Amino acid sequence: MQQYIIRRAVLNVFVLFIVATMVFFAVQVLPGNFATQQFASANLGGVTPESIARAESVLGLDKPVVAQYGTFLWDLVQFDLGESFRSKRSVWSELGRAVPYSMELGFLIVLVGFSIAIPVGILSAVHQDKLPDYVLRGGAIFALAAPVFWTASIAVIFVLKWDLFKIDVTGQPHLWENPQTALQWYLIPMFAGGIAGTATTMRLLRSQMLEVLRQDYVVTARAKGLRERTIIMRHALRNAWLPVLTVMGLTIATIIGSQIVLEQMFNIPGVGRLLFQSIFLRDTPLLEGLVLVVAFVVVFTNLFVDVLYGLLDPRVRLA
Amino acid sequence: MTTPDTSAALPFEEHASALERIGSGPRSLGRFLVQKKLGGLGLVIVIFFTVITILSGVVDRYEPDFIFDRDNPGFLANPTIPQLAADPDIGSPRVVDQFIEPSSKHWFGTDKFGRDIYSRVIHGTKLSLIIGFGASLIAVVSGLIIGVVSAYYLGWLDLIIQRAIDAVYAFPFIVLILLIVQIAEPSTRNVVIALGFGGIPFATRLVRSATLSVRGAEYVQAARVIGATDLRIMVRHVLPNIGAVLIIAFSIGIGAFILAEATISFLGAGPRGEISWGKMVSTGRAALDLHPWESVFAGSAITLLVMAFNLLGDAMRDVLDPRLRGR
């Protein structure tokens, strides 16, 4: 077990190294850099090639690519992500500001996703091929196909039309600072993201439940005269939900994807929104740091889920 | 004169390929529609959208870029400054027919610029279909080559290839697409390439695990014993036996890529100069509370088409490889 974790962790570090290299060279081949983008967006008169060159030398963008790559890697092994070109603050402090917002939203999305997917998956399996099953599966098919930005937009239409609640996108409070305003702000993105992430989990849970409900021990439990509720919760669900856990690791990438869009739409200053801005501003150190953090979360969530799976199910041998 | 014995030229280990299981011809298509009702529905919707794309010039009713306008009832030739401040349009004899509600003239209404939304939704179909098929084709073909080679040779090569695949997978998908699209100009072709590249990890993983399950099979060992080259084994023995996985990956990929294109277009980084449903949802948000129709119809079109491809993909998976059900 320990060896397995260590081996996987080492491989993950190697994966992160490839990610770092990919993002570094992707930024290199992008047309323009922070200096040219800044002057282009500022649209100032009197921008000369000299002033751009001066800005580039201040930022270190005039050094040869190999030297820049070397510095980047050397700083990286010391966990130094550099400082953002735009804000002049260290990438770590930018992350410190953005990550809590993204974690809040991500947590709420996962919460909504699971609290819909689990009961719906069970109900759908228990009423297989009856009306509730068809309705719920139809809902899942819809949820899988509808783009998050669209469902979120539609939700905004109704909230505005019926004046359901106020969405304040300027205050940007955390949940623990101003729970009510924050929750109203997060409500639509968390449901849009949660519903989009629900479908896969729900469908897998349904098919697992169907398989388990056919097993001998469920028949035995029924023969013993146990209540249907006990059979489903104690005998079936316990054995069906483990494989569902593994999709958690896969859905994390999907959730991060929808977070980028949702943070952009609702002005949530999280990692996704910062990523989006840093691409267009060519804020290289910030972009590199953000991509690495996201990649870190993805690979280590997957490792965590695999290890958890091994711990919870003794039949699974990790090697 | 003896006729050449062609049977010897046939591969001796001919096995029923996955394709034969669904058969071909109109009869088995009919069977597919009856047995897999949802899949059949998906197929019908896909065909419907394909026909719309081909006949877009016939069914569109208006030019997608035509700007509708009408006479300005309150037109004044020489308005005073306070009059202009009260109504900025007062000085122009004709005004744009913007944000018209759905009617018999404009089935889906008009957008902010006075263009017919129905016509634009019709013309947006083409881009989604090109993106879906093109990107899925690139992803599956690359995934096929990488996945088969990786699983066939295993060892160090496999370890390194798989880490690279993990890295592409861990890279936030939308960021990857935004970066690649920006390297060159955002044309339809470049978006297709970017999305196809981003989809390689998914295709590779499916192909790799399918290849792993056939590489130890007896017919592969037999072929190796009689001295077949690696390339021959991969092309003649492995490939036909992972055909089902390829078709499944291809059909499921299409919906995902259409959704991804809509997302980057919504974010403003989609193919430039093309009518895109994702972009329409975005422009429709300008006046969402009062005039939601552009967003509503464009988003419905995305959902319907993606749903159709998902249903079709699910049904094909059930028919071709029942073991993958529910995955």
Side-chain angles (χ1 to χ4, degrees):
Chain A
M1 184 65 142
Q2 260 181 347
Q3 270 192 328
Y4 171 82
I5 296 174
I6 292 168
R7 203 175 67 101
R8 280 281 303 267
V10 170
L11 284 179
N12 278 353
V13 171
F14 181 58
V15 169
L16 291 178
F17 164 75
I18 302 178
V19 170
T21 307
M22 273 171 64
V23 65
F24 178 85
F25 285 101
V27 175
Q28 291 302 318
V29 290
L30 281 185
N33 57 33
F34 184 73
T36 58
Q37 286 304 93
Q38 278 305 88
F39 287 120
S41 63
N43 206 8
L44 296 168
V47 175
T48 54
E50 289 80 48
S51 56
I52 290 180
R54 209 176 321 122
E56 281 174 352
S57 85
V58 169
L59 298 169
L61 291 171
D62 55 344
K63 295 197 194 98
V65 175
V66 183
Q68 285 187 48
Y69 182 58
T71 324
F72 168 61
L73 285 187
W74 179 241
D75 289 346
L76 200 60
V77 292
Q78 300 171 66
F79 297 102
D80 178 5
L81 295 175
E83 61 181 34
S84 161
F85 284 165
R86 187 183 56 161
S87 68
K88 303 288 171 230
R89 303 189 324 134
S90 82
V91 172
W92 281 117
S93 76
E94 289 280 354
L95 281 169
R97 245 199 336 200
V99 166
Y101 284 106
S102 288
M103 280 186 34
E104 268 171 283
L105 181 58
F107 172 75
L108 290 171
I109 287 176
V110 172
L111 190 73
V112 169
F114 273 78
S115 42
I116 294 176
I118 292 170
V120 164
I122 296 170
L123 272 179
S124 189
V126 171
H127 299 281
Q128 188 193 4
D129 291 332
K130 294 200 197 82
L131 187 66
D133 184 28
Y134 288 133
V135 172
L136 295 173
R137 274 163 74 196
I141 289 167
F142 176 81
L144 202 60
V148 273
F149 58 83
W150 184 61
T151 44
S153 301
I154 299 293
V156 170
I157 296 175
F158 285 114
V159 170
L160 291 176
K161 231 175 197 135
W162 295 335
D163 203 15
L164 297 178
F165 53 86
K166 213 174 151 288
I167 306 169
D168 179 12
V169 295
T170 52
Q172 305 178 334
H174 283 291
L175 274 174
W176 55 87
E177 288 167 0
N178 189 343
Q180 203 204 338
T181 317
L183 209 58
Q184 286 180 353
W185 179 38
Y186 284 132
L187 201 65
I188 292 173
M190 81 193 225
F191 271 92
I195 288 170
T198 293
T200 329
T201 318
M202 175 250 149
R203 277 156 40 126
L204 184 64
L205 183 61
R206 177 180 176 276
S207 66
Q208 286 295 326
M209 281 292 284
L210 286 178
E211 205 154 288
V212 170
L213 284 171
R214 276 199 294 269
Q215 299 288 321
D216 286 344
Y217 55 81
V218 173
V219 179
T220 312
R222 261 204 199 109
K224 282 197 297 187
L226 286 183
R227 280 186 311 157
E228 195 62 25
R229 193 189 165 78
T230 320
I231 296 171
I232 289 160
M233 301 308 284
R234 295 276 295 271
H235 292 73
L237 187 60
R238 260 196 185 184
N239 290 292
W241 78 278
L242 268 175
V244 177
L245 187 71
T246 48
V247 275
M248 252 298 288
L250 297 175
T251 22
I252 188 89
T254 322
I255 289 173
I256 290 169
S258 37
Q259 270 190 277
I260 296 178
V261 184
L262 291 168
E263 286 178 10
Q264 190 67 17
M265 285 176 76
F266 290 88
N267 200 27
I268 299 168
V271 173
R273 192 173 152 74
L274 221 47
L275 260 173
F276 193 75
Q277 291 172 342
S278 62
I279 293 175
F280 288 96
L281 284 173
R282 306 277 188 274
D283 193 340
T284 320
L286 187 58
L287 176 62
E288 287 160 349
L290 291 165
V291 167
L292 273 171
V293 164
V294 174
F296 178 88
V297 171
V298 172
V299 293
F300 279 95
T301 309
N302 275 300
L303 173 58
F304 175 73
V305 167
D306 287 351
V307 169
L308 200 62
Y309 195 48
L311 286 175
L312 291 174
D313 190 345
R315 287 168 302 182
V316 176
R317 295 291 296 270
L318 299 174
Chain B
M1 202 170 90
T2 53
T3 47
D5 184 10
T6 50
S7 65
L10 286 170
F12 70 92
E13 60 327 288
E14 252 201 324
H15 16 257
S17 76
L19 278 174
E20 285 158 25
R21 247 176 284 155
I22 42 167
S24 57
R27 217 208 226 145
S28 62
L29 181 68
R31 204 164 55 221
F32 177 79
L33 288 177
V34 174
Q35 278 179 356
K36 292 279 163 198
K37 291 199 179 60
L38 283 176
L41 177 68
L43 186 64
V44 168
I45 298 173
V46 168
I47 292 172
F48 172 72
F49 274 103
T50 314
V51 170
I52 279 182
T53 308
I54 296 166
L55 299 179
S56 59
V58 182
V59 294
D60 62 356
R61 305 182 82 223
Y62 306 108
E63 282 298 306
D65 290 324
F66 184 79
I67 292 168
F68 287 86
D69 57 2
R70 60 185 143 84
D71 282 323
N72 188 357
F75 170 62
L76 286 175
N78 292 306
T80 58
I81 303 286
Q83 281 172 325
L84 259 179
D87 178 8
D89 288 332
I90 202 162
S92 42
R94 293 183 69 78
V95 283
V96 172
D97 259 345
Q98 65 170 359
F99 297 133
I100 289 184
E101 296 285 299
S103 63
S104 58
K105 189 184 177 201
H106 300 289
W107 287 351
F108 293 174
T110 60
D111 66 6
K112 189 169 78 177
F113 306 104
R115 298 173 303 194
D116 187 61
I117 295 172
Y118 168 75
S119 174
R120 295 182 69 74
V121 170
I122 294 288
H123 283 272
T125 315
K126 190 178 93 187
L127 180 71
S128 286
L129 287 176
I130 291 175
I131 297 273
F133 279 100
S136 207
L137 193 67
I138 291 176
V140 169
V141 171
S142 325
L144 169 68
I145 297 167
I146 300 170
V148 168
V149 167
S150 185
Y152 187 81
Y153 291 106
L154 289 176
W156 273 102
L157 187 69
D158 182 51
L159 188 74
I160 291 169
I161 290 178
Q162 288 314 307
R163 280 340 105 200
I165 293 295
D166 284 350
V168 179
Y169 178 80
F171 212 102
F173 185 80
I174 291 177
V175 175
L176 185 67
I177 306 304
L178 291 176
L179 284 175
I180 302 176
V181 167
Q182 290 210 2
I183 289 172
E185 93 275 27
S187 62
T188 308
R189 195 196 59 187
N190 291 339
V191 172
V192 167
I193 294 172
L195 287 169
F197 179 79
I200 289 177
F202 303 92
T204 304
R205 284 177 175 181
L206 277 175
V207 170
R208 180 174 174 273
S209 65
T211 309
L212 282 177
S213 66
V214 298
R215 80 183 287 276
E218 278 164 11
Y219 52 82
V220 172
Q221 291 174 7
R224 199 172 286 141
V225 168
I226 60 167
T229 59
D230 286 348
L231 185 67
R232 187 185 163 84
I233 294 175
M234 282 188 256
V235 173
R236 300 301 293 266
H237 304 279
V238 174
L239 187 59
N241 285 292
I242 60 169
V245 170
L246 294 181
I247 296 170
I248 292 164
F250 180 72
S251 61
I252 288 177
I254 296 174
F257 289 121
I258 292 174
L259 210 50
E261 181 275 325
T263 307
I264 60 164
S265 288
F266 175 81
L267 291 172
R272 204 161 286 163
E274 300 284 339
I275 299 173
S276 156
W277 290 337
K279 211 189 295 175
M280 289 176 72
V281 175
S282 168
T283 43
R285 275 167 49 81
L288 200 57
D289 48 340
L290 299 172
H291 312 287
W293 295 117
E294 189 179 15
S295 291
V296 169
F297 284 114
S300 309
I302 302 170
T303 309
L304 193 61
L305 187 56
V306 172
M307 197 169 75
F309 276 112
N310 287 350
L311 290 174
L312 190 58
D314 284 355
M316 284 169 87
R317 182 190 52 203
D318 288 352
V319 173
L320 291 171
D321 195 349
R323 284 166 304 171
L324 284 174
R325 263 195 106 140
R327 290 282 164 87

PDB file of all heavy atoms in Angstrom, chain A residues 299-316:
ATOM      1  N   VAL A 299      -4.609  15.272 -10.538  1.00  0.00           N
ATOM      2  CA  VAL A 299      -3.862  14.008 -10.412  1.00  0.00           C
ATOM      3  C   VAL A 299      -3.913  13.462  -8.980  1.00  0.00           C
ATOM      4  O   VAL A 299      -4.023  12.261  -8.783  1.00  0.00           O
ATOM      5  CB  VAL A 299      -2.394  14.102 -10.900  1.00  0.00           C
ATOM      6  CG1 VAL A 299      -2.344  14.325 -12.392  1.00  0.00           C
ATOM      7  CG2 VAL A 299      -1.594  15.146 -10.159  1.00  0.00           C
ATOM      8  N   PHE A 300      -3.854  14.363  -7.994  1.00  0.00           N
ATOM      9  CA  PHE A 300      -3.855  13.843  -6.628  1.00  0.00           C
ATOM     10  C   PHE A 300      -5.259  13.466  -6.152  1.00  0.00           C
ATOM     11  O   PHE A 300      -5.385  12.597  -5.291  1.00  0.00           O
ATOM     12  CB  PHE A 300      -3.137  14.796  -5.674  1.00  0.00           C
ATOM     13  CG  PHE A 300      -1.643  14.611  -5.755  1.00  0.00           C
ATOM     14  CD1 PHE A 300      -0.880  15.423  -6.575  1.00  0.00           C
ATOM     15  CD2 PHE A 300      -1.007  13.594  -5.062  1.00  0.00           C
ATOM     16  CE1 PHE A 300       0.490  15.239  -6.694  1.00  0.00           C
ATOM     17  CE2 PHE A 300       0.357  13.390  -5.173  1.00  0.00           C
ATOM     18  CZ  PHE A 300       1.109  14.220  -5.993  1.00  0.00           C
ATOM     19  N   THR A 301      -6.307  14.070  -6.716  1.00  0.00           N
ATOM     20  CA  THR A 301      -7.656  13.576  -6.414  1.00  0.00           C
ATOM     21  C   THR A 301      -7.795  12.152  -6.923  1.00  0.00           C
ATOM     22  O   THR A 301      -8.342  11.280  -6.241  1.00  0.00           O
ATOM     23  CB  THR A 301      -8.741  14.447  -7.073  1.00  0.00           C
ATOM     24  OG1 THR A 301      -8.487  15.799  -6.735  1.00  0.00           O
ATOM     25  CG2 THR A 301     -10.123  14.052  -6.612  1.00  0.00           C
ATOM     26  N   ASN A 302      -7.279  11.912  -8.136  1.00  0.00           N
ATOM     27  CA  ASN A 302      -7.362  10.565  -8.689  1.00  0.00           C
ATOM     28  C   ASN A 302      -6.611   9.556  -7.822  1.00  0.00           C
ATOM     29  O   ASN A 302      -7.104   8.455  -7.586  1.00  0.00           O
ATOM     30  CB  ASN A 302      -6.833  10.539 -10.121  1.00  0.00           C
ATOM     31  CG  ASN A 302      -7.922  10.926 -11.114  1.00  0.00           C
ATOM     32  OD1 ASN A 302      -8.945  10.268 -11.186  1.00  0.00           O
ATOM     33  ND2 ASN A 302      -7.716  12.001 -11.839  1.00  0.00           N
ATOM     34  N   LEU A 303      -5.423   9.943  -7.351  1.00  0.00           N
ATOM     35  CA  LEU A 303      -4.669   9.048  -6.474  1.00  0.00           C
ATOM     36  C   LEU A 303      -5.440   8.797  -5.182  1.00  0.00           C
ATOM     37  O   LEU A 303      -5.583   7.656  -4.729  1.00  0.00           O
ATOM     38  CB  LEU A 303      -3.301   9.661  -6.166  1.00  0.00           C
ATOM     39  CG  LEU A 303      -2.446   8.927  -5.127  1.00  0.00           C
ATOM     40  CD1 LEU A 303      -2.187   7.492  -5.563  1.00  0.00           C
ATOM     41  CD2 LEU A 303      -1.120   9.643  -4.911  1.00  0.00           C
ATOM     42  N   PHE A 304      -5.976   9.872  -4.615  1.00  0.00           N
ATOM     43  CA  PHE A 304      -6.730   9.774  -3.368  1.00  0.00           C
ATOM     44  C   PHE A 304      -7.921   8.828  -3.523  1.00  0.00           C
ATOM     45  O   PHE A 304      -8.154   7.958  -2.673  1.00  0.00           O
ATOM     46  CB  PHE A 304      -7.202  11.179  -2.966  1.00  0.00           C
ATOM     47  CG  PHE A 304      -8.098  11.208  -1.765  1.00  0.00           C
ATOM     48  CD1 PHE A 304      -7.587  10.988  -0.495  1.00  0.00           C
ATOM     49  CD2 PHE A 304      -9.456  11.445  -1.914  1.00  0.00           C
ATOM     50  CE1 PHE A 304      -8.419  11.006   0.612  1.00  0.00           C
ATOM     51  CE2 PHE A 304     -10.295  11.467  -0.812  1.00  0.00           C
ATOM     52  CZ  PHE A 304      -9.775  11.242   0.454  1.00  0.00           C
ATOM     53  N   VAL A 305      -8.636   8.982  -4.636  1.00  0.00           N
ATOM     54  CA  VAL A 305      -9.811   8.131  -4.867  1.00  0.00           C
ATOM     55  C   VAL A 305      -9.393   6.667  -5.005  1.00  0.00           C
ATOM     56  O   VAL A 305     -10.028   5.780  -4.433  1.00  0.00           O
ATOM     57  CB  VAL A 305     -10.575   8.611  -6.125  1.00  0.00           C
ATOM     58  CG1 VAL A 305     -11.598   7.588  -6.562  1.00  0.00           C
ATOM     59  CG2 VAL A 305     -11.255   9.930  -5.850  1.00  0.00           C
ATOM     60  N   ASP A 306      -8.297   6.422  -5.731  1.00  0.00           N
ATOM     61  CA  ASP A 306      -7.837   5.042  -5.898  1.00  0.00           C
ATOM     62  C   ASP A 306      -7.455   4.423  -4.563  1.00  0.00           C
ATOM     63  O   ASP A 306      -7.773   3.263  -4.276  1.00  0.00           O
ATOM     64  CB  ASP A 306      -6.640   4.993  -6.859  1.00  0.00           C
ATOM     65  CG  ASP A 306      -7.077   5.226  -8.295  1.00  0.00           C
ATOM     66  OD1 ASP A 306      -8.306   5.246  -8.519  1.00  0.00           O
ATOM     67  OD2 ASP A 306      -6.210   5.390  -9.167  1.00  0.00           O
ATOM     68  N   VAL A 307      -6.749   5.211  -3.737  1.00  0.00           N
ATOM     69  CA  VAL A 307      -6.323   4.698  -2.436  1.00  0.00           C
ATOM     70  C   VAL A 307      -7.538   4.432  -1.547  1.00  0.00           C
ATOM     71  O   VAL A 307      -7.654   3.392  -0.891  1.00  0.00           O
ATOM     72  CB  VAL A 307      -5.353   5.687  -1.752  1.00  0.00           C
ATOM     73  CG1 VAL A 307      -5.110   5.296  -0.307  1.00  0.00           C
ATOM     74  CG2 VAL A 307      -4.036   5.735  -2.506  1.00  0.00           C
ATOM     75  N   LEU A 308      -8.470   5.370  -1.568  1.00  0.00           N
ATOM     76  CA  LEU A 308      -9.687   5.233  -0.768  1.00  0.00           C
ATOM     77  C   LEU A 308     -10.456   3.980  -1.181  1.00  0.00           C
ATOM     78  O   LEU A 308     -10.968   3.235  -0.340  1.00  0.00           O
ATOM     79  CB  LEU A 308     -10.565   6.471  -0.981  1.00  0.00           C
ATOM     80  CG  LEU A 308     -11.623   6.763   0.065  1.00  0.00           C
ATOM     81  CD1 LEU A 308     -10.976   7.015   1.403  1.00  0.00           C
ATOM     82  CD2 LEU A 308     -12.454   7.962  -0.361  1.00  0.00           C
ATOM     83  N   TYR A 309     -10.477   3.748  -2.462  1.00  0.00           N
ATOM     84  CA  TYR A 309     -11.158   2.585  -3.007  1.00  0.00           C
ATOM     85  C   TYR A 309     -10.528   1.304  -2.459  1.00  0.00           C
ATOM     86  O   TYR A 309     -11.215   0.383  -2.030  1.00  0.00           O
ATOM     87  CB  TYR A 309     -11.027   2.629  -4.528  1.00  0.00           C
ATOM     88  CG  TYR A 309     -11.950   1.715  -5.270  1.00  0.00           C
ATOM     89  CD1 TYR A 309     -13.303   1.671  -4.977  1.00  0.00           C
ATOM     90  CD2 TYR A 309     -11.473   0.897  -6.297  1.00  0.00           C
ATOM     91  CE1 TYR A 309     -14.150   0.842  -5.678  1.00  0.00           C
ATOM     92  CE2 TYR A 309     -12.317   0.069  -6.999  1.00  0.00           C
ATOM     93  CZ  TYR A 309     -13.655   0.038  -6.690  1.00  0.00           C
ATOM     94  OH  TYR A 309     -14.495  -0.793  -7.386  1.00  0.00           O
ATOM     95  N   GLY A 310      -9.197   1.293  -2.435  1.00  0.00           N
ATOM     96  CA  GLY A 310      -8.488   0.134  -1.898  1.00  0.00           C
ATOM     97  C   GLY A 310      -8.747  -0.056  -0.412  1.00  0.00           C
ATOM     98  O   GLY A 310      -8.856  -1.177   0.081  1.00  0.00           O
ATOM     99  N   LEU A 311      -8.870   1.068   0.308  1.00  0.00           N
ATOM    100  CA  LEU A 311      -9.101   0.975   1.756  1.00  0.00           C
ATOM    101  C   LEU A 311     -10.518   0.497   2.058  1.00  0.00           C
ATOM    102  O   LEU A 311     -10.739  -0.275   2.990  1.00  0.00           O
ATOM    103  CB  LEU A 311      -8.884   2.341   2.410  1.00  0.00           C
ATOM    104  CG  LEU A 311      -7.445   2.807   2.541  1.00  0.00           C
ATOM    105  CD1 LEU A 311      -7.407   4.221   3.099  1.00  0.00           C
ATOM    106  CD2 LEU A 311      -6.640   1.868   3.422  1.00  0.00           C
ATOM    107  N   LEU A 312     -11.482   0.975   1.266  1.00  0.00           N
ATOM    108  CA  LEU A 312     -12.881   0.678   1.562  1.00  0.00           C
ATOM    109  C   LEU A 312     -13.303  -0.699   1.070  1.00  0.00           C
ATOM    110  O   LEU A 312     -14.193  -1.317   1.632  1.00  0.00           O
ATOM    111  CB  LEU A 312     -13.789   1.740   0.940  1.00  0.00           C
ATOM    112  CG  LEU A 312     -13.694   3.118   1.579  1.00  0.00           C
ATOM    113  CD1 LEU A 312     -14.513   4.118   0.789  1.00  0.00           C
ATOM    114  CD2 LEU A 312     -14.168   3.069   3.019  1.00  0.00           C
ATOM    115  N   ASP A 313     -12.678  -1.161   0.013  1.00  0.00           N
ATOM    116  CA  ASP A 313     -13.055  -2.462  -0.532  1.00  0.00           C
ATOM    117  C   ASP A 313     -11.864  -3.404  -0.441  1.00  0.00           C
ATOM    118  O   ASP A 313     -10.940  -3.326  -1.236  1.00  0.00           O
ATOM    119  CB  ASP A 313     -13.498  -2.311  -1.990  1.00  0.00           C
ATOM    120  CG  ASP A 313     -14.125  -3.582  -2.506  1.00  0.00           C
ATOM    121  OD1 ASP A 313     -13.958  -4.637  -1.839  1.00  0.00           O
ATOM    122  OD2 ASP A 313     -14.771  -3.542  -3.555  1.00  0.00           O
ATOM    123  N   PRO A 314     -11.880  -4.319   0.542  1.00  0.00           N
ATOM    124  CA  PRO A 314     -10.727  -5.196   0.742  1.00  0.00           C
ATOM    125  C   PRO A 314     -10.467  -6.118  -0.454  1.00  0.00           C
ATOM    126  O   PRO A 314      -9.376  -6.662  -0.577  1.00  0.00           O
ATOM    127  CB  PRO A 314     -11.101  -6.015   1.975  1.00  0.00           C
ATOM    128  CG  PRO A 314     -12.443  -5.573   2.404  1.00  0.00           C
ATOM    129  CD  PRO A 314     -12.964  -4.571   1.461  1.00  0.00           C
ATOM    130  N   ARG A 315     -11.484  -6.260  -1.330  1.00  0.00           N
ATOM    131  CA  ARG A 315     -11.264  -7.140  -2.474  1.00  0.00           C
ATOM    132  C   ARG A 315     -10.329  -6.500  -3.495  1.00  0.00           C
ATOM    133  O   ARG A 315      -9.721  -7.180  -4.313  1.00  0.00           O
ATOM    134  CB  ARG A 315     -12.599  -7.440  -3.166  1.00  0.00           C
ATOM    135  CG  ARG A 315     -13.467  -8.385  -2.388  1.00  0.00           C
ATOM    136  CD  ARG A 315     -14.865  -8.401  -2.977  1.00  0.00           C
ATOM    137  NE  ARG A 315     -15.465  -7.057  -2.969  1.00  0.00           N
ATOM    138  CZ  ARG A 315     -16.688  -6.810  -3.397  1.00  0.00           C
ATOM    139  NH1 ARG A 315     -17.433  -7.759  -3.877  1.00  0.00           N
ATOM    140  NH2 ARG A 315     -17.175  -5.590  -3.345  1.00  0.00           N
ATOM    141  N   VAL A 316     -10.226  -5.171  -3.459  1.00  0.00           N
ATOM    142  CA  VAL A 316      -9.375  -4.483  -4.424  1.00  0.00           C
ATOM    143  C   VAL A 316      -7.942  -4.500  -3.907  1.00  0.00           C
ATOM    144  O   VAL A 316      -7.665  -4.039  -2.806  1.00  0.00           O
ATOM    145  CB  VAL A 316      -9.849  -3.038  -4.645  1.00  0.00           C
ATOM    146  CG1 VAL A 316      -8.910  -2.303  -5.579  1.00  0.00           C
ATOM    147  CG2 VAL A 316     -11.247  -3.044  -5.202  1.00  0.00           C
TER     148      VAL A 316
END
